[in-house]
Amino acid sequence: MVFGQVVIGPPGSGKTTYCNGMSQFLNLIGRKVAVINLDPANDSLPYECAINIEELIKLSDVMAEHSLGPNGGLVYCMDYLEKNIDWLESKLKPLIKDHYLLFDFPGQVELFFLHQNAKRVVMKLIKKLNLRLTVVHLVDAHLCSDPGKYVSALLLSLSTMLHLELPHVNVLSKIDLIESYGKLAFNLDFYTDAQDLSYLQHHLDQDPRSAKLKKLNKELCEVIEDYSLVNFTTLDIQAKCWKSLSSYFMYGCHPSVYFAAVQEKYMKDDECRRYLIVDCRLNNM
């Protein structure tokens, strides 16, 4: 049984940066990790890539050969990957014995709440390789500064959760930059809990762009609240204390995860060191 994360989110939400930071964290605690790049448009990788989809197909080649734009090209690439899933399986088999897996997916959101190809790729890997995967869905925290964009992010998160049907963690990334976008209408807990969205109505009604859609806004907020599935956790991937990263690792692990000691030389900050007395090992692998 192998564990890992399916890292998704809109363009610019920090997926590749997250995979890089998470792989560093896992190496720090002595856990073998393999990062799999499944974004054929990502040609600048900051992490060591165990498997790269560009060995199979490149977005630039698809766009040139089939006269497609980037969105259509990405859909084509995911279809091609699904039809050649044996290639990915053969690459993964040497890694699944002792590696934790991080799948870095493209940022085209339609792939994860509308089209079936990316979902079928994940489901085939789960079934054939007996993987246990958790979705980590990154959303840029700056969307909290605009009520309309925040509601859109909630709808995207909910649609993705319902579409993929996997264990799911929604993350507000770049939380260290949120103050630079202006003062929030509510405290941060309001945006992470995603409850009592009726309080957003007043702010939505003040926006001339959305005031004429008052009834629609109200209905959308009620849909989100009725499902009561969406909430967020926060992440600053650049933080010196990697306390939050350990929790994301826990989401993708077997419940039998337990803690042992990490050498103090890795952690200079006392608070971080107390928390990260961690050498996350898995039982029953």
Side-chain angles (χ1 to χ4, degrees):
M1 189 178 295
V2 185
F3 302 93
Q5 300 176 20
V6 175
V7 183
I8 64 174
S13 58
K15 298 180 295 298
T16 298
T17 303
Y18 171 85
C19 289
N20 186 35
M22 178 59 76
S23 63
Q24 291 180 33
F25 169 74
L26 293 171
N27 285 322
L28 173 69
I29 64 175
R31 189 78 169 87
K32 289 185 178 180
V33 57
V35 186
I36 298 94
N37 175 45
L38 295 182
D39 183 357
N42 193 352
D43 55 4
S44 179
L45 300 173
Y47 50 74
E48 183 179 350
C49 189
I51 303 173
N52 194 339
I53 192 176
E54 287 201 342
E55 297 175 12
L56 177 69
I57 190 169
K58 292 184 178 181
L59 178 62
S60 57
D61 293 342
V62 169
M63 292 171 62
E65 183 176 347
H66 299 283
S67 300
L68 294 171
N71 290 342
L74 283 171
V75 173
Y76 182 98
C77 289
M78 285 297 106
D79 282 336
Y80 191 84
L81 176 61
E82 182 190 355
K83 289 179 173 61
N84 293 273
I85 194 69
D86 292 343
W87 172 84
L88 184 55
E89 289 176 17
S90 65
K91 294 282 188 178
L92 284 170
K93 283 179 180 178
L95 301 173
I96 60 177
K97 296 179 181 179
D98 56 358
H99 283 71
Y100 187 86
L101 305 178
L102 297 174
F103 293 90
D104 188 1
F105 271 88
Q108 187 182 8
V109 296
E110 296 96 321
L111 294 173
F112 305 103
F113 78 88
L114 182 61
H115 297 291
Q116 294 288 333
N117 42 25
K119 178 182 179 180
R120 286 195 290 258
V121 166
V122 173
M123 293 304 177
K124 286 179 180 179
L125 293 178
I126 289 174
K127 183 177 181 179
K128 293 185 177 182
L129 300 179
N130 194 26
L131 304 184
R132 296 295 182 268
L133 300 177
T134 296
V135 176
V136 177
H137 182 215
L138 300 176
V139 175
D140 197 320
H142 90 271
L143 298 179
C144 296
S145 62
D146 184 313
K149 292 179 180 178
Y150 175 66
V151 172
S152 297
L154 291 173
L155 286 172
L156 173 62
S157 300
L158 177 60
S159 300
T160 303
M161 294 174 76
L162 296 175
H163 183 72
L164 293 180
E165 299 178 301
L166 287 171
H168 198 104
V169 183
N170 293 305
V171 181
L172 289 177
S173 62
K174 307 179 185 178
I175 199 66
D176 54 314
L177 302 177
I178 194 168
E179 292 183 357
S180 65
Y181 301 113
K183 186 178 180 180
L184 298 178
F186 305 97
N187 60 33
L188 187 58
D189 288 344
F190 175 85
Y191 298 96
T192 57
D193 294 343
Q195 298 177 353
D196 299 323
L197 298 181
S198 59
Y199 289 107
L200 280 176
Q201 284 294 306
H202 173 72
H203 294 275
L204 287 169
D205 294 345
Q206 300 303 309
D207 189 335
R209 297 170 298 175
S210 59
K212 60 183 179 181
L213 303 174
K214 182 176 180 179
K215 185 175 180 180
L216 176 61
N217 292 331
K218 181 176 181 294
E219 295 295 334
L220 290 176
C221 290
E222 288 180 356
V223 167
I224 296 166
E225 288 186 319
D226 288 345
Y227 274 98
S228 192
L229 290 176
V230 182
N231 56 23
F232 294 96
T233 186
T234 59
L235 174 66
D236 174 9
I237 198 68
Q238 304 295 342
K240 292 181 180 179
C241 176
W242 287 6
K243 175 179 177 179
S244 59
L245 274 182
S246 64
S247 65
Y248 299 110
F249 176 49
M250 297 278 282
Y251 284 125
C253 290
H254 191 274
S256 61
V257 170
Y258 65 91
F259 297 99
V262 163
Q263 295 178 346
E264 288 191 1
K265 67 179 181 179
Y266 290 120
M267 306 304 298
K268 295 182 179 180
D269 183 273
D270 288 339
E271 181 181 353
C272 292
R273 185 167 59 245
R274 286 196 300 271
Y275 186 88
L276 273 179
I277 301 179
V278 191
D279 180 10
C280 290
R281 295 189 174 93
L282 302 174
N283 295 329
N284 304 320
M285 288 293 289

